[in-house]
Amino acid sequence: MIPAQFLAADGKAVIVAIDHTLYSGPCPGLEDRGALLASVAAAGADAIIASYGTIRDFRPAFGRAHPILKLDLTSVTLGSSYALTEYLPAYTLEDAQRLGVRTVLTYIQLGAPFELEALRVAARLAADCDRAGLTYLCEIMPVESERYPDAFAPEAIAAACRTGQELGGHAIKTTMPLPPESVAEAVKTCGVPVILAGGALAPDREALLGQVKTCVDLGVAGVAFGRNVWGKPDPADTVRRLVSIVHAGA
């Protein structure tokens, strides 16, 4: 298996996600993409999840941060509350290669009525990435549903991580379980790097950073934060703090 190409030399990564306005715009904090990209890249972000248009038109602002192309689309909603909608593949690996992108991402919602098709798309994509020499970051999360009444339950997160690996994901992006200490089981059974999403804007940044430290100490390979970076007054400072935790154990 090829290693996840967005990871730093220590096998870990701080990722900033700015793809939100593709499906949930406008988002306060994402108005000036160029300035935001330049600031988080300079602060040490290892990778940035973005749309096709953002990578194509703002590539110089990524600096040394690896672009991660989101390949799928969903219906556009307004605000931070996401409706349960299907994500469909829109871009191809050839599109990624033309942009010079080495990592792609799609989203799977476990428990959604359209879960099976998302799993099928992910399985095919993982195999195609192996053939093309690209990395597939599989974003797979339980959603509140009859099968997953608690989308943050440790066993639900562990199941998501293992499923993503079984599909062929080179790394997994998933939800931080509650309590955060329970992430150890997901890491243990997954077999590929686990990256934790930031989720909704946290009211207490210090508490969130403490949870990140706990999870990194238990083997998590990093984080992929969106609102909890650009939704704060100083995104670069948050990235620097995350880098110190993920890469230096601070």
Side-chain angles (χ1 to χ4, degrees):
M1 185 187 75
I2 63 172
Q5 298 178 63
F6 61 85
L7 297 175
D10 60 2
K12 299 178 181 180
V14 172
I15 303 171
V16 177
I18 68 163
D19 58 315
H20 299 63
T21 48
L22 182 64
Y23 49 85
S24 181
C27 297
L30 287 180
E31 297 89 350
D32 188 343
R33 282 170 290 174
L36 175 67
L37 285 164
S39 67
V40 298
D46 298 291
I48 298 168
I49 299 170
S51 68
Y52 179 92
T54 293
I55 296 174
R56 185 194 65 191
D57 297 343
F58 292 84
R59 184 58 180 273
F62 281 74
R64 298 180 65 182
H66 291 269
I68 298 176
L69 174 62
K70 182 172 176 61
L71 293 181
D72 50 0
L73 301 175
T74 192
S75 302
V76 178
T77 58
L78 297 179
S80 59
S81 141
Y82 303 144
L84 184 60
T85 58
E86 188 173 9
Y87 284 71
L88 298 177
Y91 300 102
T92 67
L93 296 187
E94 289 75 17
D95 295 325
Q97 290 171 318
R98 188 175 61 257
L99 292 179
V101 170
R102 292 181 288 171
T103 301
V104 297
L105 172 147
T106 63
Y107 181 37
I108 303 167
Q109 301 168 91
L110 295 184
F114 28 76
E115 173 190 323
L116 184 57
E117 176 60 14
L119 292 170
R120 187 196 68 79
V121 168
R124 185 65 261 157
L125 178 60
D128 289 343
C129 280
D130 280 342
R131 185 167 57 249
L134 301 180
T135 295
Y136 174 38
L137 175 57
C138 179
E139 181 174 8
I140 180 167
M141 300 174 177
V143 295
E144 187 175 341
S145 57
E146 183 178 351
R147 281 186 287 135
Y148 299 95
D150 180 1
F152 298 91
E155 61 271 21
I157 304 305
C161 290
R162 182 58 178 263
T163 299
Q165 184 278 332
E166 297 276 3
L167 289 170
H170 301 100
I172 306 301
K173 177 188 173 189
T174 194
T175 312
M176 183 184 295
L178 294 177
E181 294 80 2
S182 64
V183 79
E185 184 61 23
V187 171
K188 177 183 176 182
T189 62
C190 182
V192 295
V194 174
I195 305 293
L196 295 181
L201 185 62
D204 186 340
R205 183 176 74 159
E206 297 307 314
L208 178 62
L209 292 174
Q211 292 173 337
V212 172
K213 175 68 163 63
T214 295
C215 293
V216 170
D217 288 346
L218 291 171
V220 163
V223 296
F225 279 12
R227 296 181 191 278
N228 283 292
V229 169
W230 45 260
K232 297 291 185 181
D234 188 348
D237 181 62
T238 300
V239 170
R240 282 190 289 268
R241 296 282 300 278
L242 289 169
V243 168
S244 70
I245 294 170
V246 171
H247 291 300

